[in-house]
Amino acid sequence: FFFAFHHLFIISSSWQSLAPRANRTIPTMRFHRLALGAAAFVALCSVPATYADDAATDDAAASASSSAAAYEPPANAESFQFEAEVNRMLDIVVNSLYTNKDVFLRELISNASDALDKIRFLGVTKPELLADKEDLEVRIEYDEDSKTLTIRDSGIGMTKDDLMNNLGTVARSGTTKFMDALGEGSADMGMIGQFGVGFYSTFLVADRVSVASKHPESSSQYLWESTDGHDAFYIAEDPRGNTLGRGTEITLHLKEDAEEYANPNKLRTLAKHYSEFVTHPLHLRTTSKQMV
């Protein structure tokens, strides 16, 4: 028998407060899956090396198979067609050569702040709307391994109809005005938020966008998804159940040329810049790996 000893890695994570009113840091710690596997291997000290090689080969094959699998919409999802003008705009956004793609984070932070303002205003006369989640905040986290970026707020949230109407099926005057301004050369992609359609800037950096949302007057949390801004999008009850309590969670599956947005230093700089006038706490979750 041959024994192999591996380093044990601990991945620690913490929430860093970025907005002026946010002054909490919530430390957490978790063990990486590989670290736990390595610890178990060392403890047993009796596994033939050939078994370990076979397991590694199987894991690699499974990973390759998973990454090659085509996108599958959520179970029991309904398919909807983007409104024609929205679809035309998305085609331009997806294929845009606009270099300052940072604007997507500005728009998502702005939208989150607006949602928080709305629930705070409604909560004055209807305090029960705040019952599921009292904290009004924005949280940003990333996963460098899966190349995803998530922006979560505890704002008003959206119902199923809100997701369907606000994110695709209902024509907005801002959509047409933005398209006209682009055609006239009086606007560029960086001005998309001024026309009220800033959400769609997410497709500058993501080839798949997932939006989970829970409205306080809705009994279920719903999931909206679209890949590359293609003709259709999907809506289904979130298979995870009610994970938000209230609010909206937007997960971006980053394009290969946008993986820099899963970098903590990049995110910290941008989030600080774009939250300068945000009155709600904003936190960035960062992770670090230590060898022990």
Side-chain angles (χ1 to χ4, degrees):
F1 294 98
F2 295 91
F3 302 116
F5 293 88
H6 297 268
H7 294 296
L8 178 64
F9 289 93
I10 295 178
I11 295 181
S12 59
S13 63
S14 62
W15 290 99
Q16 296 184 359
S17 302
L18 301 180
R21 290 181 56 190
N23 53 18
R24 294 177 299 167
T25 299
I26 307 173
T28 60
M29 182 169 289
R30 59 188 175 91
F31 288 93
H32 194 279
R33 183 182 62 177
L34 294 179
L36 293 175
F41 186 86
V42 172
L44 291 174
C45 291
S46 61
V47 179
T50 54
Y51 287 4
D53 292 342
D54 291 343
T57 302
D58 291 343
D59 287 344
S63 177
S65 175
S66 175
S67 61
Y71 166 73
E72 290 289 340
N76 302 317
E78 296 179 66
S79 176
F80 299 90
Q81 296 295 310
F82 282 112
E83 188 274 332
E85 279 292 279
V86 173
N87 195 45
R88 193 161 69 94
M89 179 184 65
L90 279 171
D91 185 59
I92 293 176
V93 172
V94 169
N95 296 292
S96 173
L97 298 178
Y98 187 67
T99 55
N100 184 21
K101 297 181 179 181
D102 299 352
V103 296
F104 84 90
L105 190 58
R106 177 193 69 196
E107 298 306 319
L108 293 186
I109 291 176
S110 176
N111 289 349
S113 180
D114 290 344
L116 290 166
D117 287 342
K118 188 170 184 178
I119 192 64
R120 180 170 61 182
F121 175 77
L122 293 174
V124 173
T125 55
K126 295 183 178 180
E128 64 273 13
L129 295 179
L130 298 171
D132 291 328
K133 194 173 182 65
E134 294 185 0
D135 293 335
L136 301 181
E137 60 187 6
V138 182
R139 290 183 177 269
I140 301 174
E141 58 184 288
Y142 61 92
D143 189 322
E144 289 185 287
D145 294 330
S146 63
K147 306 303 179 185
T148 60
L149 173 64
T150 300
I151 297 88
R152 185 184 303 110
D153 69 69
S154 55
I156 186 62
M158 289 180 278
T159 64
K160 177 183 177 181
D161 286 342
D162 291 335
L163 287 170
M164 181 174 62
N165 295 329
N166 296 342
L167 304 184
T169 62
V170 176
R172 305 280 175 186
S173 60
T175 308
T176 302
K177 290 179 180 178
F178 180 58
M179 295 295 294
D180 291 342
L182 284 178
E184 295 167 0
S186 58
D188 60 27
M189 200 62 65
M191 300 170 66
I192 190 171
Q194 298 178 28
F195 295 85
V197 288
F199 166 77
Y200 298 109
S201 64
T202 54
F203 288 98
L204 287 170
V205 298
D207 52 24
R208 176 180 157 201
V209 178
S210 304
V211 181
S213 199
K214 173 66 172 65
H215 190 280
E217 295 179 350
S218 175
S219 59
S220 299
Q221 178 172 305
Y222 286 93
L223 182 64
W224 178 103
E225 286 194 336
S226 177
T227 57
D228 282 329
H230 285 161
D231 294 346
F233 60 90
Y234 301 91
I235 296 179
E237 282 196 33
D238 196 327
R240 302 171 301 173
N242 181 7
T243 62
L244 298 173
R246 186 195 64 248
T248 298
E249 174 187 86
I250 300 176
T251 300
L252 309 181
H253 302 260
L254 299 170
K255 299 177 180 178
E256 287 187 8
D257 62 355
E259 292 178 357
E260 62 184 306
Y261 295 106
N263 178 280
N265 296 324
K266 175 85 170 179
L267 289 172
R268 186 181 298 107
T269 299
L270 292 178
K272 282 185 176 181
H273 177 66
Y274 290 132
S275 65
E276 183 178 0
F277 300 105
V278 173
T279 59
H280 304 283
L282 187 149
H283 309 278
L284 171 65
R285 185 182 187 185
T286 61
T287 61
S288 61
K289 183 186 294 186
Q290 297 178 327
M291 183 176 66
V292 297

